[in-house]
Amino acid sequence: MFTGLIEEIGEIVRVTAGPEVVRFAVRAPGVAGTAGLGDSIATDGVCLTVVATAPGGAADEYEVEAMPQTLRVTTAGDWEVGSRVNLERALRADARLGGHIVQGHVEQTAEVLSVTDHPDWRVVRIALPAEAAPLVVDKGSICVNGISLTVSAVSAATEPNPWFEVSLIPATIAATTLGAAAAGTRVNLETDILARHVARLAEFAGVSR
């Protein structure tokens, strides 16, 4: 479980493709210092398990693996040497929940449509897959590349090409990879788990009638 508060921007330093899984070596001095085998680390919002620590004696690195499904439905399939990724270690039970409840289970990717700069903030508009549109509400929470963000605007239900917007403060721009996003950038999306549960309950309620 995560909160969507990014701790560090890491760098992919090695990519090793196996018969079925791909192993990524991540350089992140802060996160790597406490990473243990079996730990869960949200990597651009994707919950991945640490399979090696200090590989080759590099104390500032650790390794994770991604399965075929993860590579298909997230941006992990695009990661290469030099890719920068948002990192967050799993939430401690005694920690404050500063963002919102994030599972690290990315549902789909989406494309950044536009980036608009304002004097003190930046607005990022992102395409919203049709199946996710009913789950995103104005002033609600959404996770983009592992970042807990508040929806600042959302398209009408009648919009044929749904979208939503998030507004980034300077701290978020500086501390996450979303600060470098431009139109066309692909991002990972995880909608609010509470909204997904309500939608599923409503689906069964409709069937029971």
Side-chain angles (χ1 to χ4, degrees):
M1 196 69 69
F2 308 91
T3 70
L5 300 184
I6 304 305
E7 298 182 79
E8 184 177 8
I9 296 178
E11 180 184 358
I12 304 294
V13 292
R14 284 185 305 283
V15 180
T16 307
E20 292 189 282
V21 303
V22 176
R23 179 173 289 211
F24 298 98
V26 184
R27 178 174 295 143
V31 169
T34 61
L37 291 177
D39 284 356
S40 295
I41 298 178
T43 309
D44 259 8
V46 185
C47 180
L48 297 175
T49 301
V50 175
V51 296
T53 59
D60 62 347
E61 296 179 12
Y62 63 90
E63 293 183 342
V64 294
E65 289 180 337
M67 298 185 298
Q69 183 181 16
T70 301
L71 297 171
R72 283 196 308 271
V73 303
T74 77
T75 61
D78 300 332
W79 296 345
E80 57 187 8
V81 173
S83 293
R84 299 169 77 241
V85 288
N86 296 318
L87 302 175
E88 181 192 355
R89 290 168 291 186
L91 173 67
R92 289 168 52 104
D94 61 350
R96 292 185 175 90
L97 185 62
H100 73 283
I101 296 174
V102 175
Q103 295 182 298
H105 301 163
V106 172
E107 298 154 73
Q108 62 262 306
T109 62
E111 183 178 315
V112 173
L113 298 175
S114 64
V115 177
T116 306
D117 283 316
H118 294 267
D120 296 312
W121 72 92
R122 178 177 298 167
V123 175
V124 180
R125 178 174 289 194
I126 300 172
L128 190 53
E131 64 273 20
L135 307 175
V136 180
V137 299
D138 190 25
K139 304 303 183 289
S141 296
I142 193 163
C143 190
V144 180
N145 275 2
I147 311 162
S148 174
L149 296 167
T150 299
V151 176
S152 56
V154 66
S155 58
T158 54
E159 170 63 50
N161 299 302
W163 53 264
F164 71 96
E165 291 181 348
V166 291
S167 298
L168 310 181
I169 62 174
T172 303
I173 294 170
T176 74
T177 60
L178 201 54
T185 299
R186 205 158 65 102
V187 295
N188 293 320
L189 294 185
E190 180 185 335
T191 56
D192 189 349
I193 181 61
L194 298 179
R196 298 203 305 274
H197 274 300
V198 170
R200 182 64 169 165
L201 288 169
E203 181 181 348
F204 273 91
V207 170
S208 65
R209 289 198 297 268

